Amino acid sequence: YDLIEILLYILPLSMLSAFFFHLFCRNILIEHLPEPFEKRYSQHNAVNTFHLFKTKILRISGSALFAIFLHLLLDFLCHMLDAHRIRMHVFHFLPNEFVATAAYFLGIYGLPVLFSLAGFYLIYRSEFPKPMRIGSISIPADKRPFWIMLLIATLLIAAVKITITEADDTFYADYIIISMTTSLIVAIYFTCLIYTACTFLLKKINQ
């Protein structure tokens, strides 16, 4: 991407996505989170999305730009390792096909996995400074249908995407991961919109 594409295409789409997430998805997701997470984020339910974007537009835009450039930087760093060259060097010093292939995949996925784990850890430590007991995380029965619906929507969207598009067999694992990630994002919007529509119709019927 060049700077023009980032400013005229990626940034507006990210801002629009963030706006609709806060407008349609934020409160629904918070209400259906496991109890410790719901308590942590329930304070955001009362935030007015229009007022938030009106008063914090520069901060939100800056955060979006930071995320975009951070993604590009990490992507650049991940591609600095030449997996084929690593495989050749390893095979030269240790002529074992299995070890050389393992080094090849480590060259491809090592840094992305490392950066992902570091990112998730930093987010967790920022949001939950005190360690959380795993046993305290559970989803009540009345909230499970929402997550089941979200899971089904994710799998269906991913299945359609994988079926109608072609992928390089060499990087099929990457394709599956990216397809599942993008499908989850689309499914979140789809599920929350369906949930909002159903809730609205039920209120109308019960009036």
Side-chain angles (χ1 to χ4, degrees):
Y1 302 105
D2 57 31
L3 187 59
I4 299 300
E5 288 179 316
I6 291 174
L7 294 178
L8 297 183
Y9 175 64
I10 300 176
L11 178 61
L13 279 179
S14 66
M15 295 292 292
L16 189 64
S17 175
F19 177 79
F20 279 104
F21 174 84
H22 281 273
L23 188 63
F24 292 109
C25 303
R26 182 194 64 210
N27 290 2
I28 295 173
L29 289 175
I30 291 174
E31 291 169 5
H32 290 86
L33 287 173
E35 187 175 346
F37 296 102
E38 183 182 4
K39 288 182 178 179
R40 172 67 178 81
Y41 296 109
S42 59
Q43 58 183 316
H44 300 294
N45 281 339
V47 175
N48 184 288
T49 300
F50 293 95
H51 179 73
L52 173 67
F53 275 75
K54 183 179 179 180
T55 57
K56 307 289 185 181
I57 188 67
L58 291 179
R59 179 179 294 184
I60 296 171
S61 301
S63 298
L65 277 174
F66 175 78
I68 292 168
F69 285 117
L70 179 61
H71 171 83
L72 294 176
L73 173 63
L74 295 178
D75 192 54
F76 170 76
L77 293 175
C78 289
H79 285 86
M80 284 182 63
L81 293 179
D82 188 335
H84 291 285
R85 189 180 296 275
I86 291 173
R87 186 183 187 283
M88 290 172 57
H89 283 304
V90 171
F91 191 79
H92 175 75
F93 289 104
L94 186 61
N96 182 289
E97 190 67 31
F98 176 80
V99 175
T101 302
Y104 169 79
F105 282 108
L106 182 63
I108 294 176
Y109 300 111
L111 283 179
V113 170
L114 180 63
F115 287 145
S116 298
L117 291 176
F120 284 125
Y121 176 76
L122 290 174
I123 292 172
Y124 171 76
R125 293 297 298 172
S126 173
E127 294 297 308
F128 299 94
K130 296 181 179 179
M132 180 182 296
R133 293 186 296 107
I134 300 298
S136 65
I137 302 176
S138 61
I139 302 177
D142 61 327
K143 297 181 179 182
R144 291 171 191 168
F146 173 84
W147 295 107
I148 293 172
M149 182 179 175
L150 178 60
L151 176 61
I152 293 172
T154 301
L155 295 175
L156 287 176
I157 295 170
V160 171
K161 184 178 186 299
I162 292 170
T163 301
I164 64 177
T165 55
E166 296 182 1
D168 186 351
D169 293 340
T170 306
F171 300 103
Y172 202 72
D174 306 57
Y175 178 68
I176 295 295
I177 294 171
I178 293 171
S179 295
M180 291 301 297
T181 304
T182 54
S183 297
L184 173 61
I185 295 172
V186 174
I188 288 174
Y189 286 97
F190 175 78
T191 305
C192 290
L193 286 173
I194 294 296
Y195 182 89
T196 301
C198 290
T199 303
F200 176 78
L201 289 175
L202 286 174
K203 286 182 179 179
K204 286 292 184 180
I205 292 172
N206 293 329
Q207 284 181 353

